[in-house]
Amino acid sequence: MLSISSCAQEYALPIFDQLEHPMVFCNFFEADDEGFLKRLITRLKGQKLKTVQELQRLNFRILAVGNSFNDIDMIHAAEKGVLFRPSEAVKKDHPEIPVVTSYDELKKCIAQVVETVEPNSKKQKTG
């Protein structure tokens, strides 16, 4: 399983350390000579949705995890999607997307998806 984050790697590393899973980063911060934030480097416009679509073209099955309105297209494009600690506005506007609020819940969600997806198939087992 491959994890991809659009969060800046400086913030995402602690999260994925807790999940005990490697990941690929889409954004990072650039610091000035004194170590202060200079700018956010976004590697690709519309990167979340495009990344999901390109990985699907390579026959990857995608579990998308997001927390904001910026993540909705990615979540809908993925085979499975979940919101992790979203705002009340996001939950209200997208009740169709499951919500988890802790790292333990997120780990369980990931494990359930991994267990239900057949190898070499985009379809999930149905009971």
Side-chain angles (χ1 to χ4, degrees):
M1 183 169 77
L2 173 67
S3 298
I4 299 173
S5 173
S6 67
C7 178
Q9 63 191 28
E10 294 83 353
Y11 292 112
L13 276 173
I15 295 168
F16 282 86
D17 285 346
Q18 287 189 35
L19 292 173
E20 299 173 345
H21 198 278
M23 65 180 302
V24 174
F25 298 102
C26 295
N27 298 323
F28 61 94
F29 290 120
E30 183 179 306
D32 64 17
D33 293 337
E34 297 178 19
F36 291 99
L37 175 64
K38 183 176 177 181
R39 65 184 177 136
L40 171 66
I41 308 298
T42 301
R43 295 181 176 134
L44 176 66
K45 186 175 180 174
Q47 64 194 0
K48 297 173 188 184
L49 178 58
K50 288 178 184 177
T51 300
V52 167
Q53 291 169 335
E54 291 303 317
L55 288 170
Q56 287 170 328
R57 284 186 185 106
L58 295 170
N59 291 323
F60 281 86
R61 290 157 313 278
I62 308 296
L63 165 64
V65 179
N67 69 346
S68 72
F69 287 107
N70 293 332
D71 300 320
I72 300 303
D73 288 342
M74 168 191 69
I75 290 170
H76 282 149
E79 283 76 13
K80 285 287 186 175
V82 65
L83 291 167
F84 180 68
R85 296 182 180 168
S87 69
E88 290 300 319
V90 172
K91 286 193 291 189
K92 180 181 175 193
D93 283 2
H94 295 282
E96 76 281 5
I97 303 174
V99 173
V100 295
T101 58
S102 71
Y103 291 110
D104 286 337
E105 286 179 284
L106 184 56
K107 281 183 180 181
K108 288 177 187 174
C109 179
I110 292 168
Q112 287 172 346
V113 169
V114 170
E115 290 171 5
T116 60
V117 175
E118 295 178 28
N120 301 318
S121 169
K122 287 186 178 179
K123 304 214 180 232
Q124 296 179 338
K125 292 181 183 176
T126 55

